Structure formats: C-alpha cells, structure tokens
Amino acid sequence: MNTRIVVGLSGRPTDEGALLWALGYAAPRRCGIDLVHVVDETWGDIPAGFRGAALAQAETELARELAEAVRLEPHLAIHSTVLVGSPTSALAKRAAGAELLVVGSHALGRFRDYVFSTRAAQIAARAPGSVVVVLDRKESPGRGVVVGVDGSDISLAAVRFAAEEADRHGEPLTAVYCWSAPTPWTADTAVIDWPMEPDDSDRLVLAEAVAGLATQYPDLDLDLRLEVGLPSETLARVAAGARLLVVGSHGRHGLQRFWLGSVSQLIVLTMPCPVAVIRPALSEPVSSGVEPSESEPV
C-alpha cells in the first residue's frame, strides 16, 4: 500500500486544521506527506503578467507551510508541490495511489451546527481514494469517532478506519446502523406487508460489522446504535460534536465515479464535524495533467 498522504492547501489561515490532522495521522504510521497548493485556473488561463506573481506567492505560502510541518514532525518525509489548474481535478489526480487526501472544508457558510462545503464535496467526489475533510474553524477537536454501517464491504472498511482512529485517540467508537421503513412507489407495492421497525436481521448487520474489534482493540469503548431515520440526517445528528465521522462511499467507476454515494455526499456538504469518506482506491496512479513545481523532499 502506498503510505503517502496528500494535503491540499490554499494559502488560507484555515489550512492549519487540515495540515495538523494529516501530520497527526501520518506520524505514527511514518507516512510521507505531499503538500499541494493549486493555483486556480478553473475559469480560464491566468494572464501572463499575473501568472508569475501567483506562482511566486503560492511558492512562498507553501514554503511556510512546509517549514511548519517539518518543525512539528521532523522525522517524516515531507514534499511540497505547486500546481496550476483546477483545484478539484488537480488534487484528485495528485492523490491517485495515495493512502489519503486531506483537505479543509472551505466552507461557504453555516446553518445551525452544519457547515456547507461544496468545494470539499467536489474534491471528495473526484478523488480516486479515501478523503478526509477537516473543518476550517479553529476549535478544540470533538470527542469520539462515529461510523456509519450498512453491511457492505466498503462499510466494513470504514469501520476498520474508524476503529483505528478511535483507538489511537483513546476515545469511544459509535457504530450507527440507520433503518427507515420502505416507502411504497406504487399502489401495488403499497399492499405489501413492509416491515415497520428494525428486526433481528438489522441487529445482525450491526453486530457483524464490528465483529473482532474487541479482540483487536481490547481497550476500545464501543457503542452500537440502531437508529430509525434517514442515514444522512441521523449520522449528522449523532456525530455532532464528534472528533470524526467516517462513512463509506458507494460511488461507481467511469463517469459515475465523479459522484459520491448520496449519503456521503450529503454528509460532506453539511459537515457536522470532520468527515472521512472511505472508498476503494483505483489500482493505478493517474498523471496530474497540470504543471508541477516541486521542492526537494525534507
């Protein structure tokens, strides 16, 4: 497995949260860190007179981030790269083959406890592997890790990721299985005797998802919750104030892989807390297709 972590930075003060999260994750695993700043050409080419200035500013800002990262974790191999292009596609392509892509939420606004972040959702949808989106705001991290469970293989991968994070921080893990009564589509299906509450098969899905965790992480405080409600709304509610919410993405390959599964997409858009979207990585790295300007590894 490629133990490289890609961190998308934009020169904003709010990049600090993403950088610190990535360093904290990488340090015990001895992962390499790839700090990436993309000079945005989403809406067209940068005029020649401004291109050089934009690149110089990006290099300066990234050098400052690199120096801070090396100061905090001097034993890690840390690189920095400036690219020119669309931040969404450039970061996604740069993260091909990486263990994780970590970005800030770049929030557009807030409503109650939710942060709305369309840029982060776009990046998470385009990335070929797992993505962690870290809130921009400077607040103490929450407590506990929440993971959504649905019985799929990618859900089991999300549980493993969540359990490792909870154990690393010495905090509880809450595994949530969301159940809702089927809604009849036609008059014919309305007469079917649909289940109106969870049954033993639903409880079995939840139990099987966490099977073996007690042996692997004997000190882990595990809470199993079978909740009635829509998954996106329920997970957002349960994860409010958590350190991390972990969900699996059921996005598909081809053109459809540019969309997250509906639950994970809504979770990233609303951001009740930092979110990890776990998805199977593509087997082969993809060229970034943008102009790089790289520093030597530190």
Side-chain angles (χ1 to χ4, degrees):
M1 181 176 63
N2 191 333
T3 55
R4 177 173 60 101
I5 309 298
V6 176
V7 186
L9 302 172
S10 62
R12 302 180 183 182
T14 50
D15 285 340
E16 180 182 1
L19 179 58
L20 292 178
W21 196 99
L23 291 172
Y25 181 89
R29 298 169 174 82
R30 297 300 186 195
C31 297
I33 298 281
D34 187 6
L35 306 180
V36 181
H37 183 126
V38 182
V39 177
D40 194 351
E41 274 193 336
T42 302
W43 306 110
D45 293 336
I46 300 174
F50 294 98
R51 185 184 179 96
L55 284 169
Q57 181 178 352
E59 297 269 8
T60 299
E61 292 170 346
L62 195 55
R64 184 167 55 247
E65 300 281 8
L66 175 62
E68 176 64 8
V70 171
R71 183 186 71 80
L72 293 172
E73 295 294 345
H75 301 297
L76 295 180
I78 306 178
H79 307 248
S80 66
T81 306
V82 174
L83 303 173
V84 178
S86 160
T88 299
S89 60
L91 286 174
K93 291 176 181 178
R94 187 74 182 187
E99 182 173 340
L100 281 179
L101 169 60
V102 182
V103 296
S105 62
H106 299 287
L108 294 178
R110 296 191 63 172
F111 177 72
R112 296 179 179 173
D113 291 330
Y114 297 148
V115 173
F116 293 92
S117 179
T118 55
R119 172 62 64 85
Q122 291 167 358
I123 292 171
R126 292 287 296 271
S130 299
V131 179
V132 175
V133 184
V134 183
L135 292 174
D136 290 343
R137 61 179 186 265
K138 290 186 178 180
E139 295 180 4
S140 299
R143 176 169 173 77
V145 177
V146 177
V147 60
V149 170
D150 65 9
S152 65
D153 288 343
I154 194 63
S155 166
L156 298 180
V159 169
R160 291 192 294 269
F161 183 94
E164 186 175 352
E165 282 300 287
D167 184 70
R168 177 167 73 91
H169 291 286
E171 296 182 357
L173 172 64
T174 301
V176 182
Y177 180 88
C178 301
W179 185 95
S180 57
T183 301
W185 287 9
T186 67
D188 291 337
T189 58
V191 300
I192 298 176
D193 186 19
W194 296 107
M196 298 309 296
E197 62 181 19
D199 58 23
D200 288 343
S201 65
D202 298 302
R203 297 179 182 88
L204 181 62
V205 170
L206 186 56
E208 289 182 340
V210 300
L213 291 186
T215 301
Q216 188 173 2
Y217 304 104
D219 297 325
L220 182 63
D221 182 3
L222 182 59
D223 179 22
L224 304 185
R225 297 179 61 167
L226 200 163
E227 297 277 342
V228 176
L230 296 176
S232 57
E233 296 176 359
T234 303
L235 289 171
R237 172 175 54 80
V238 174
R243 175 182 291 274
L244 183 69
L245 170 58
V246 184
V247 293
S249 169
H250 295 283
R252 295 178 285 268
H253 296 293
L255 289 177
Q256 290 178 324
R257 77 177 176 85
F258 294 117
W259 298 98
L260 287 168
S262 59
V263 173
S264 51
Q265 185 169 17
L266 286 170
I267 289 294
V268 175
L269 282 169
T270 55
M271 290 291 294
C273 65
V275 174
V277 179
I278 306 303
R279 69 192 308 171
L282 297 178
S283 59
E284 296 294 332
V286 182
S287 170
S288 66
V290 288
E291 298 181 28
S293 173
E294 299 191 11
S295 73
E296 293 299 318
V298 177

